[in-house]
Amino acid sequence: MSKITTLFFVFICFLGYAQEETRIIARQGQVSFFSYTSVENIEATNNQVYSVIDLSEKEIAVSMLMRAFVFKKALMEEHFNESYVESDIYPKLQFEGKIPDFDTSLEGSQTKVVKGDMTFHGITKDVAIKTQIENTAGNYVLTGNFEVGIVDYDIKVPGLLAPNIAKIIKIEFRFEYEPYEEK
């Protein structure tokens, strides 16, 4: 094998390895929401949220099954899935976006605004979410919170129940990433 062929082979192998190392994954991210009303607070947590970040492209994707939210009361969970988010019709929330100005080599904490498209309840909206990114020796943790208006995603609330459901829902998230390895 000539030196040029050997160098080319090494370069191709390195390129494949480098591309593999640029993706990180959170297989069990956490998303929770809180709805305050004078009648009763509603809160739930979903620990089955999947997210991938391509560090070289600074792109992020999140996918979440709506039925995976766990509530304190079974009746709240039933109403959430059947009447409000209609989980049988719209089973997932999807987000695809970019993390502009994200310095992947910076150790410690940095605050960035993640921008992208969030599809929920059949409606896609441009969103910008302030996110805290913690990098400890290449281990990334993303946390943050934001608010969602139920009218923005066409969530219908019967008039009789309107006082029981907040117009703005507070969302919190936490994703702990590890190197992506195809299984």
Side-chain angles (χ1 to χ4, degrees):
M1 204 186 290
S2 74
K3 286 184 181 181
I4 293 176
T5 306
T6 305
L7 285 173
F8 180 73
F9 179 73
V10 170
F11 175 73
I12 294 300
C13 289
F14 176 75
L15 183 61
Y17 176 76
Q19 286 177 345
E20 189 70 26
E21 291 296 310
T22 65
R23 291 183 293 173
I24 55 176
I25 186 169
R27 287 188 169 86
Q28 292 184 315
Q30 182 181 73
V31 173
S32 59
F33 73 83
F34 181 79
S35 167
Y36 170 80
T37 67
S38 58
V39 177
E40 183 174 30
N41 294 335
I42 301 168
E43 54 190 315
T45 301
N46 185 335
N47 290 316
Q48 298 178 34
V49 186
Y50 182 82
S51 177
V52 175
I53 295 177
D54 183 327
L55 295 171
S56 64
E57 298 295 325
K58 299 179 176 107
E59 294 176 339
I60 182 171
V62 177
S63 182
M64 174 173 63
L65 287 174
M66 299 309 295
R67 281 205 178 272
F69 276 101
V70 177
F71 292 74
K72 290 180 182 176
K73 296 181 180 178
L75 188 58
M76 284 182 181
E77 189 169 324
E78 182 181 326
H79 287 165
F80 173 80
N81 286 302
E82 293 177 10
S83 302
Y84 301 115
V85 299
E86 302 173 283
S87 297
D88 289 339
I89 300 169
Y90 311 106
K92 290 183 180 180
L93 177 144
Q94 302 270 358
F95 175 82
E96 292 182 10
K98 287 221 173 235
I99 311 171
D101 304 322
F102 177 31
D103 184 351
T104 59
S105 66
L106 182 66
E107 290 272 333
S109 183
Q110 53 186 306
T111 301
K112 298 295 175 189
V113 176
V114 177
K115 298 177 181 180
D117 293 328
M118 185 166 74
T119 302
F120 169 56
H121 201 246
I123 296 172
T124 301
K125 296 255 184 204
D126 289 335
V127 296
I129 303 168
K130 186 176 179 181
T131 304
Q132 190 71 31
I133 302 171
E134 189 70 35
N135 176 7
T136 307
N139 295 311
Y140 293 90
V141 176
L142 273 66
T143 58
N145 58 67
F146 61 102
E147 295 180 343
V148 173
I150 62 172
V151 297
D152 295 338
Y153 291 94
D154 199 27
I155 305 292
K156 306 264 190 277
V157 179
L160 183 61
L161 297 176
N164 299 356
I165 305 295
K167 307 284 185 264
I168 302 292
I169 309 298
K170 296 179 181 176
I171 313 291
E172 291 186 2
F173 61 90
R174 178 179 177 84
F175 299 117
E176 295 182 21
Y177 293 87
E178 59 188 36
Y180 183 86
E181 295 175 12
E182 291 193 33
K183 293 187 176 192

